[in-house]
Amino acid sequence: MHTDAHCHAHEMSVSELELYAGQFELIVAVSDDVPSSRRTLDLASQLSFIHPCIGIHPWSIGELEDLERCVRELELMIVKEGVRCLGEIGLDRAFVPETLKAQLKLFREMLSLAREYDLAVNLHAAKAWRLVLDEVVSHGIERAVFHWFTGPKDVMSEIAARGYLISINPTVAISARHMAIARAAPLHALVFESDGPYRYRGLMLNPSLIPKTVDLVAREKGVSTRELVEAARRNLYRLLLKE
Ligand SMILES: [Zn+2]
């Protein structure tokens, strides 16, 4: 059975998500803000294969008036709903560099919550790979996945050495650079994601692309599809459930 380490399930309907039940044993659902975090928790209460992450996406920061109140609302959800993962959180210097200062303040608060409640983190780090890694390390975070990793080699090596994970996106099918990263990623440090629903260069990202993605990467790495599915599954359970 397949796994998806990063999916914006809150943008999908229950009936749409149910279509994946037969093929996916676990879909990690990330959130963008407080309302989508509520929706993610609601979906997880209805669908057993949805594992919820709550958080505030760096792209959402510009639209939020009272970040402190949002953080307190998320903390209440952690306590009341037994949330085990924060995401999508992080920093973005590629698309919204103008809010970096506010992003950093919020990210540090989220990492402090993760540390306090022993949560995993599902990270966004576009053009901020080293910065995000350094923050995660300095906050003493034990379990982290760097979603759609396209960062430099030295950062990937350190992520793997520290027991963190990178997630590989279906764009490996259309980007030689993304595939080169998947080829180089050690088996103990990778998971697969859809980041769906999202359109990237004509590719409509959603969980149904993951089986083909795993096949392509398995061929590149010279391992069997079954071995790769199992490695990703094991890594994801280690991230979320400390198994
Ligand atoms: Zn995302």
Side-chain angles (χ1 to χ4, degrees):
M1 291 273 268
H2 285 283
T3 50
D4 183 343
H6 184 108
C7 177
H8 294 261
H10 63 88
E11 294 179 37
M12 302 181 193
S13 67
V14 170
S15 53
E16 202 177 342
L17 287 163
E18 275 171 339
L19 297 176
Y20 299 118
Q23 207 172 15
F24 284 82
E25 74 175 76
L26 189 63
I27 291 180
V28 180
V30 294
S31 309
D32 296 341
D33 51 21
V34 171
S36 59
S37 294
R38 283 207 190 93
R39 162 102 174 117
T40 300
L41 290 174
D42 184 44
L43 286 172
S45 72
Q46 296 179 60
L47 300 165
S48 61
F49 60 95
I50 297 283
H51 187 98
C53 308
I54 63 168
I56 300 170
H57 195 295
W59 293 357
S60 302
I61 285 178
E63 300 160 15
L64 299 171
E65 284 173 10
D66 191 350
L67 281 177
E68 283 308 313
R69 191 175 48 81
C70 292
V71 172
R72 296 287 78 84
E73 284 189 45
L74 292 179
E75 185 171 12
L76 267 179
M77 289 184 211
I78 294 168
V79 174
K80 282 188 177 167
E81 313 274 346
V83 171
R84 305 301 307 142
C85 181
L86 294 184
E88 178 166 358
I89 61 170
L91 302 172
D92 188 313
R93 287 203 289 209
F95 300 95
V96 286
E98 67 280 5
T99 63
L100 188 63
K101 206 172 153 203
Q103 289 180 42
L104 197 54
K105 185 172 181 292
L106 175 68
F107 187 40
R108 286 175 173 159
E109 288 199 45
M110 301 302 283
L111 291 177
S112 298
L113 284 179
R115 174 77 185 159
E116 187 180 344
Y117 292 99
D118 190 23
L119 311 176
V121 290
N122 206 314
L123 299 164
H124 177 107
K127 284 201 177 154
W129 304 104
R130 167 54 63 186
L131 195 54
V132 168
L133 176 59
D134 287 348
E135 289 293 329
V136 167
V137 170
S138 70
H139 281 80
I141 303 299
E142 286 181 9
R143 292 166 296 127
V145 57
F146 289 72
H147 123 75
W148 200 337
F149 184 84
T150 57
K153 264 200 174 131
D154 65 309
V155 175
M156 181 163 78
S157 303
E158 193 177 330
I159 287 170
R162 289 186 178 278
Y164 300 148
L165 302 173
I166 68 161
S167 74
I168 292 167
N169 190 277
T171 53
V172 293
I174 56 168
S175 164
R177 192 169 69 84
H178 294 184
M179 183 56 101
I181 288 166
R183 197 184 306 121
L187 281 188
H188 68 87
L190 61 79
V191 288
F192 290 89
E193 67 165 58
S194 67
D195 200 24
Y198 187 68
R199 185 170 287 285
Y200 180 87
R201 289 197 212 156
L203 201 60
M204 189 56 212
L205 299 174
N206 66 61
S208 69
L209 298 185
I210 288 183
K212 185 180 150 222
T213 305
V214 178
D215 280 343
L216 287 174
V217 174
R219 211 173 307 150
E220 284 285 326
K221 294 178 91 62
V223 298
S224 71
T225 296
R226 180 197 283 246
E227 196 181 341
L228 199 51
V229 167
E230 183 49 32
R233 183 181 170 277
R234 215 173 32 236
N235 295 337
L236 194 56
Y237 277 105
R238 192 177 81 233
L239 172 88
L240 297 171
L241 306 172
K242 292 195 189 181
E243 277 180 0

